[in-house]
């Protein structure tokens, strides 16, 4: 502890003294020291983030770092709670101005939120370093190049032979045994189509393929290739048949010669969800088709560059050279360059560039953190204001009540009460919350301290910030106060009678707008309720705690 | 007591050996009178020097250092006396009622056992110390908790005239020191500053008040210690410091000296006396204890509880003044027949062996002088003798 004291500058100690003597409640939150140590810890987190190895080949997952850092953050939070609860004037001298009470809650809340800056800082530092490994423009160019050259590299897919295909190739199936065969082959990412029209309608065609018993040409093509691969497997004594392999390769050749349209998974390297200006799939396809139609040869410089780029992002990529790529392509075997190994790293860097992490771009996560911190701050103020017994009983009661209510709901649903267990749970909770809040009006009239009433007051303080939201949710779900269900039903009715009804687009747009309005209203109820509680109701609750603690005990 | 008398008291102290008491009383004097507030700092400095000197050596200081402090105290006293009006400075503030109860009762019932405290009529006045005595389980703590506003009552009335009517504000003005004080965190100094600040003593006044309290109660060298580093005696002194730092008007202490050694008891009780009789903001003090002799030596009033009922409640000095007999405790290498013979026919109404001491009851006319004279004449070897005729101690010997 003495070592920690040495980390605090003299100036801060003089502030500490002034705060202690002039603003003891603020001093007791230890916010000034807390903020200082968090500054140091965040600086340390930045330093660690800068020391962690981050290069094109690998860097740690920022989300993982965030999760790991939650452990020391939780430990620090526990330490801080211990420190903040130590100097406690509340139990005997807890009545203060409303501003002071509100400020104390906000400070405690802010303190807890500040602790969560630790995992953010480390994860953010690493993510930013990863994001800047490759400049955006260069990254886009590299991905586009890889996408454009991808057709020269047969993939590493494996596929399961469909039973229908085995029937079509009954003669050959006898050799293969007709069973489902896991066949490594080099054309998994390539699909042939019979015509340009079919190619354009590939999605519809794919849909029909799922329902049709007639095998698609590309299925047949892949079947030939898989059998050739199977027959070429010299390690399989029973299946090894070079002549059979040559037969299937010839058959595959005949398809390729007569059906030049080849569908590949364009944009394979394009990171999902990224908003950088990569070449669109359609453009990649168009360029590919132009090249095939023109019978253009391989661009060896581009292929060599693609290999180098992929190697930059993954050490497993083999630099086999443009000749090697051409040779493997001609032999229609899967590429040994392992170009696709680079894809995951490109994806991860793109995520870092756009900070697509749960701790950064998830609205719900921020809400969860803010509300969890608020709940902890509320509990801490209750703990500081009351004896520990009602606080503990309140925590246990709060945890057990939903379970007990669920058991009750399951027992009485439909049989005893004419409602579902969900309804009983929802309305039961609402009634309990309302009862907790209603009893607050009588606390001032108490003549002697009551543990039961203290417990109920703590529980009421915990539910008060969310009561408006919960009430609104019940009104929305149970009574359709926003009219969403009515509008949905009207749309469904119209759509059922006439799917092409001209009113439908406008109605659907209205439904979307209504849902957005409902969301905004709910958010307003949530944060409005929280703000209303923190600024106005919390001082009232603190006054009730103080009143309870001032009352004489019965025993 | 006027300032003039206080100065004389201090001069008398300087002639004795208790320099600790002299420095403490000098601080009290400068603190009590507003006209002397500018001398609080020098007085505190003298006390600090005394504490430092005592810390360097063991026990009371001797030699040149003590003489130097004695001289400077004397000089300061002369300066005080020379101030216009100081010789006839204001006397102590008039006593005020800090607590009053009438027919106060409290019932407990547990497992078929019923206990009732009261009815109790009690008045606590500033400047006075009230002792609550009685055997264990007779309601002493219950009564003190009621006085402190911590326990509800079932019958009667109680008032705190000097405190606000609001129960919360009232609780904040009553200083309560329980038998086992709750653990505290941080250093003693931090806690004192915090307590003073939370009572509205801010800024320089906070520092001044805290330093004054530390020096006055001899806690300076413990200022940076924590709970674990203090002995139980100093924990109690700290509790007292934490209360007096914000100048309460009603101080309630439950068995405060139970765990103190003799010297610490004496020091603590001395401080309580000075606190109660302060000219500025005198305090009404009520405390419970089993150490009857010590309590009776400082208490202005005594309440003796038995089975929850006050067997005696009134002035300590007035206890059993109209008695018909005297009661003595004595111990020595002497047997019963020899004792009775020494006292003479008819002079011993009863002589009981309590197991530890003899308890002798004599007619009122046979006082301690007569008993001791008789024992001396009989050459009885007496190692312990105490006249408890006017002490509530004799109530302990009575059957319930």
């Amino acid at each position: 502890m003495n070592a920690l004291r040495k980390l605090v500058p003299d100036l801060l100690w003089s502030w500490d003294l002034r705060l202690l003597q002039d603003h003891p409640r603020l001093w007791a939150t230890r916010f000034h020291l807390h903020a200082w140590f968090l500054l140091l810890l965040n600086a340390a987190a930045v330093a660690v983030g800068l020391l962690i190895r981050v290069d094109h080949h690998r860097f740690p997952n920022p989300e993982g770092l965030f999760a790991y850092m939650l452990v020391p953050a939780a430990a620090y939070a526990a330490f801080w709670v211990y420190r903040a609860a130590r100097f406690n004037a509340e139990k005997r001298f807890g009545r203060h101005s409303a501003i002071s009470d509100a400020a104390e809650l906000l400070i405690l809340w802010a303190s807890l939120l500040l602790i969560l800056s630790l995992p953010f800082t480390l994860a953010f530092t690493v993510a930013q370093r990863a994001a800047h490994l490759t400049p955006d423009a260069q990254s886009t160019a590299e991905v586009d190049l890889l996408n454009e050259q991808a057709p020269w590299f047969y993939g590493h897919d494996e596929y399961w032979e469909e039973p229908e295909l085995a029937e079509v190739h009954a003669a050959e199936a006898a050799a293969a045994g007709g069973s489902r065969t896991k066949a490594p082959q080099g054309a998994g990412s390539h699909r042939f189509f019979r015509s340009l029209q079919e190619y354009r309608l590939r999605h519809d065609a794919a849909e029909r393929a799922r329902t049709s018993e007639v095998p698609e040409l590309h299925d047949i093509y892949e079947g030939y290739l898989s059998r050739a691969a199977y027959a070429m497997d010299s390690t399989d004594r029973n299946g090894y048949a070079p002549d059979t392999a040559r037969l299937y390769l010839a058959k595959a050749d005949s398809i390729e010669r007569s059906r030049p349209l080849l569908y590949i998974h364009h944009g394979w390297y394009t990171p999902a969800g990224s908003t950088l200006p990569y070449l669109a799939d359609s453009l990649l396809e168009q360029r590919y088709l132009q090249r095939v139609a023109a019978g253009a040869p391989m661009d060896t410089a581009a292929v060599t560059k693609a290999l180098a780029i992929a190697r930059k992002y993954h050490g497993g990529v083999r630099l086999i050279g443009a000749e090697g790529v051409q040779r493997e392509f001609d032999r229609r075997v899967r590429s040994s360059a392992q170009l696709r190994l680079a894809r995951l790293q490109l994806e991860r860097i793109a995520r870092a560039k756009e900070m697509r992490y749960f701790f950064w771009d998830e609205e719900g996560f921020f809400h969860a953190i803010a509300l969890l911190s608020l709940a902890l701050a509320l509990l801490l103020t209750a703990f500081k204001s009351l004896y520990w017994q009602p606080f503990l009983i309140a925590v246990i009661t709060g945890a057990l009540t939903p379970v007990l209510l669920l058991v009750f709901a399951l027992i009485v649903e439909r049989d005893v009460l004419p409602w579902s267990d969900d309804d009983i749970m929802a309305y039961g909770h609402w009634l309990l919350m309302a009862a907790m809040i209603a009893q607050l009006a009588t606390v001032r009239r108490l003549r002697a301290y009551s543990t039961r009433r203290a417990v109920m007051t703590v529980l009421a303080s915990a539910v008060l910030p969310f009561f408006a939201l919960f009430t609104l949710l019940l009104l929305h779900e149970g009574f359709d106060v926003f009219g969403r269900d009515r509008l949905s039903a009207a749309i469904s009715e119209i759509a059922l009678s006439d799917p092409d009804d001209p009113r439908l687009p406008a109605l659907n747009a209205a439904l979307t707008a209504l849902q957005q309005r409902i969301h905004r209203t709910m958010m307003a109820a949530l944060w409005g309720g929280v703000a209303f509680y923190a600024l106005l109701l919390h001082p009232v609750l603190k006054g009730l705690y103080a009143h309870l603690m001032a009352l004489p005990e019965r025993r | 007591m006027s300032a003039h008398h206080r100065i004389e008291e201090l001069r008398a102290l300087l002639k004795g050996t208790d320099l600790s008491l002299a420095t403490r009383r000098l601080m009290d004097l400068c603190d009590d009178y507003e006209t002397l507030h500018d001398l609080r700092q020098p007085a505190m400095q003298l006390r600090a020097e005394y504490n430092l000197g005592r810390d360097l050596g063991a026990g009371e200081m001797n030699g040149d250092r003590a003489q130097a402090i004695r001289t400077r105290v004397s000089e300061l006293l002369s300066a005080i006396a020379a101030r216009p009006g100081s010789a006839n400075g204001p006397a102590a503030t008039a006593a005020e009622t800090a607590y009053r109860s009438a027919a106060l009762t409290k019932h407990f019932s547990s497992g078929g056992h019923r206990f009732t405290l009261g009815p109790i009529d009690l008045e606590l006045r500033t400047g006075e110390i009230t002792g609550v005595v009685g055997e264990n389980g007779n309601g002493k703590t219950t009564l003190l908790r009621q006085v402190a506003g911590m326990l509800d009552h079932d019958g009667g009335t109680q008032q705190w005239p000097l405190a606000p009517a609001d129960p919360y504000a009232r609780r904040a003005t009553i200083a309560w020191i329980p038998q086992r004080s709750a653990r505290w965190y941080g250093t003693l100094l931090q806690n004192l500053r915090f307590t003073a600040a939370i009572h509205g003593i801010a800024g320089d006044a906070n520092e001044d008040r805290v330093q004054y309290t530390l020096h006055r109660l001899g806690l300076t060298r413990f200022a940076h210690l924590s709970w674990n580093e203090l002995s139980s005696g100093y924990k109690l002194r700290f509790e007292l410091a934490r209360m007096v730092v914000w100048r309460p008007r009603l101080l309630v202490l439950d068995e405060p000296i139970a765990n103190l050694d003799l010297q610490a008891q004496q020091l603590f009780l001395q401080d309580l006396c000075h606190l109660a009789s302060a000219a500025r903001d005198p305090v009404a003090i009520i405390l419970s204890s089993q150490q009857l002799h010590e309590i009776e030596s400082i208490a202005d009033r005594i309440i003796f509880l038995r089975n929850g009922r006050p067997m005696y409640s009134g002035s300590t000095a007035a206890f059993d003044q109209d008695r018909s007999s005297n009661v003595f405790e004595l111990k020595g290498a002497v047997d019963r027949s020899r004792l009775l013979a020494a006292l003479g026919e008819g002079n011993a109404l009863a002589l009981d062996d309590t197991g530890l001491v003899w308890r002798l009851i004599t007619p009122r006319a046979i006082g301690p002088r007569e008993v001791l004279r008789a024992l001396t004449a009989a050459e009885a070897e007496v190692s312990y003798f105490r006249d408890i005729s006017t002490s509530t101690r004799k109530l302990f010997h009575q059957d319930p």
Side-chain angles (χ1 to χ4, degrees), chain A residues 21-22 92-94 553-554, chain B residues 106 150 152 168 174 203 207:
Chain A
Q21 292 180 330
D22 296 341
R92 294 192 70 193
F93 315 109
E553 294 177 48
R554 288 205 173 87
Chain B
K106 179 70 186 173
M150 298 167 66
D152 195 18
Y168 173 77
I174 300 170
E207 191 61 20

Side-chain angles (χ1 to χ4, degrees), chain B residues 24 96 102 112 118 156 169 179 211 236 261 290 302 337 371 378 382 393-394:
Chain B
R24 280 183 284 150
E96 298 171 280
Q179 189 172 1
Q211 290 302 328
L236 180 65
D261 60 43
Q290 303 285 4
I302 283 283
S337 56
V371 173
V382 177
R393 183 177 176 88
K394 69 182 183 182

Side-chain angles (χ1 to χ4, degrees), chain A residues 145-285:
Chain A
L145 183 70
L146 285 169
N147 277 329
E148 281 199 282
Q149 302 309 315
W152 295 108
F153 299 85
Y154 284 127
H156 285 253
D157 292 356
E158 292 177 340
Y159 80 100
W160 292 95
E161 183 184 352
E162 299 298 327
E164 291 83 359
L165 192 63
E167 285 176 21
V168 173
H169 303 281
E172 294 82 3
S179 58
R180 288 168 68 85
T181 306
K182 190 179 180 185
Q185 46 90 39
S189 61
H190 297 63
R191 298 283 185 276
F192 285 91
F193 295 87
R194 295 184 185 87
S195 65
L196 187 59
Q197 180 65 18
E198 183 180 312
Y199 174 76
R200 286 176 181 152
L201 299 172
R202 60 187 180 279
H203 295 301
D204 293 342
E207 181 62 31
R208 276 194 290 279
R210 278 196 289 277
T211 56
S212 170
E213 291 186 357
V214 178
E216 297 293 328
L217 182 61
H218 63 83
D219 288 333
I220 298 170
Y221 172 82
E222 286 166 2
Y224 289 152
L225 287 179
S226 70
R227 274 158 184 74
Y230 181 76
M232 282 192 291
D233 186 358
S234 60
T235 59
D236 185 350
R237 284 186 180 179
N238 296 325
Y240 182 57
D243 291 342
T244 305
R246 276 193 289 277
L247 170 65
Y248 284 126
L249 285 175
K251 288 184 174 186
D253 281 344
S254 71
I255 291 177
E256 279 198 41
R257 277 194 297 274
S258 57
R259 308 289 178 198
L261 293 176
L262 186 64
Y263 162 62
I264 65 162
H265 288 196
H266 289 289
W268 173 264
Y269 296 94
T270 305
S274 175
T275 56
L276 287 177
Y278 303 106
L279 288 176
D281 283 6
S282 56
L283 198 59
L284 287 167
E285 286 175 17

Side-chain angles (χ1 to χ4, degrees), chain A residues 171-428:
Chain A
E172 294 82 3
S179 58
R180 288 168 68 85
T181 306
K182 190 179 180 185
Q185 46 90 39
S189 61
H190 297 63
R191 298 283 185 276
F192 285 91
F193 295 87
R194 295 184 185 87
S195 65
L196 187 59
Q197 180 65 18
E198 183 180 312
Y199 174 76
R200 286 176 181 152
L201 299 172
R202 60 187 180 279
H203 295 301
D204 293 342
E207 181 62 31
R208 276 194 290 279
R210 278 196 289 277
T211 56
S212 170
E213 291 186 357
V214 178
E216 297 293 328
L217 182 61
H218 63 83
D219 288 333
I220 298 170
Y221 172 82
E222 286 166 2
Y224 289 152
L225 287 179
S226 70
R227 274 158 184 74
Y230 181 76
M232 282 192 291
D233 186 358
S234 60
T235 59
D236 185 350
R237 284 186 180 179
N238 296 325
Y240 182 57
D243 291 342
T244 305
R246 276 193 289 277
L247 170 65
Y248 284 126
L249 285 175
K251 288 184 174 186
D253 281 344
S254 71
I255 291 177
E256 279 198 41
R257 277 194 297 274
S258 57
R259 308 289 178 198
L261 293 176
L262 186 64
Y263 162 62
I264 65 162
H265 288 196
H266 289 289
W268 173 264
Y269 296 94
T270 305
S274 175
T275 56
L276 287 177
Y278 303 106
L279 288 176
D281 283 6
S282 56
L283 198 59
L284 287 167
E285 286 175 17
Q286 189 184 355
R287 289 185 181 182
Y288 169 74
L289 289 172
Q290 284 170 354
R291 182 172 63 76
V292 170
M298 175 188 283
D299 181 346
T300 54
V303 166
T304 306
K305 195 172 179 185
L307 285 169
I309 291 169
R311 177 63 173 263
K312 186 170 78 174
Y313 291 105
H314 199 287
V317 174
R318 294 178 62 221
L319 299 176
I320 58 174
E323 304 78 18
V325 175
Q326 182 73 62
R327 190 165 51 249
E328 287 176 347
F329 183 80
D330 291 344
R331 289 177 58 203
R332 223 178 285 103
V333 294
R334 67 185 178 192
S335 171
S336 64
Q338 313 270 34
L339 202 67
R340 292 185 175 188
L341 290 176
R343 184 170 173 262
L344 179 62
Q345 194 67 352
L346 285 166
E347 180 84 35
R348 295 180 71 216
I349 291 174
R351 281 189 75 193
K353 282 182 181 299
E354 304 194 9
M355 291 297 287
R356 280 182 282 120
Y357 300 119
F358 73 86
F359 60 82
W360 190 260
D361 67 348
E362 292 283 340
E363 185 188 13
F365 182 73
F366 279 104
H367 286 178
I369 281 183
L371 295 179
L372 181 66
S373 307
L374 174 67
L376 283 173
L378 278 176
L379 286 176
L380 187 56
T381 57
F383 180 76
K384 288 184 76 166
S385 304
L386 288 168
Y387 300 118
W388 62 267
Q389 293 96 330
F391 171 78
L392 191 61
I393 294 170
V395 170
I396 294 170
T397 307
L400 285 181
T401 300
V403 179
L404 295 176
L405 200 57
L406 176 63
V407 172
F408 172 77
L410 291 174
I411 291 171
V412 302
E413 62 162 338
R414 308 288 182 207
D415 299 330
V416 183
L417 296 173
W419 302 302
S420 70
D421 57 336
D422 287 342
D423 287 344
I424 294 172
M425 284 283 283
Y427 295 118

Side-chain angles (χ1 to χ4, degrees), chain B residues 129 240 251 253 256-257 267-277 285 287 298:
Chain B
I129 296 176
L240 184 64
L251 176 59
L253 305 100
I257 57 174
L267 192 65
F268 186 80
L269 294 175
Q270 218 172 40
D271 284 337
L272 286 187
C273 283
H274 297 152
L275 191 63
S277 61
I285 296 176
L287 76 163
I298 65 159

Side-chain angles (χ1 to χ4, degrees), chain A residues 64-138:
Chain A
L65 288 178
F66 185 92
Y68 291 138
M69 280 300 286
L70 282 176
V71 177
Y76 180 89
F79 175 70
W80 172 79
V81 166
Y82 164 72
R83 300 285 294 190
R86 289 194 334 168
F87 281 90
N88 188 11
E90 310 299 322
K91 287 186 172 67
R92 294 192 70 193
F93 315 109
R95 182 170 294 169
H96 304 278
S97 70
I99 292 174
S100 168
D101 282 332
E104 188 200 36
L105 176 67
L106 292 177
I107 285 171
L108 293 177
W109 189 8
S111 300
L112 285 160
L113 284 173
L114 270 179
I115 294 173
L116 285 169
S117 65
L118 280 177
F120 270 107
T121 302
L122 180 62
F124 184 82
T125 306
V126 171
Q128 284 304 302
R129 287 183 63 205
H132 290 89
L133 283 170
T134 309
D136 288 2
Q138 184 186 343

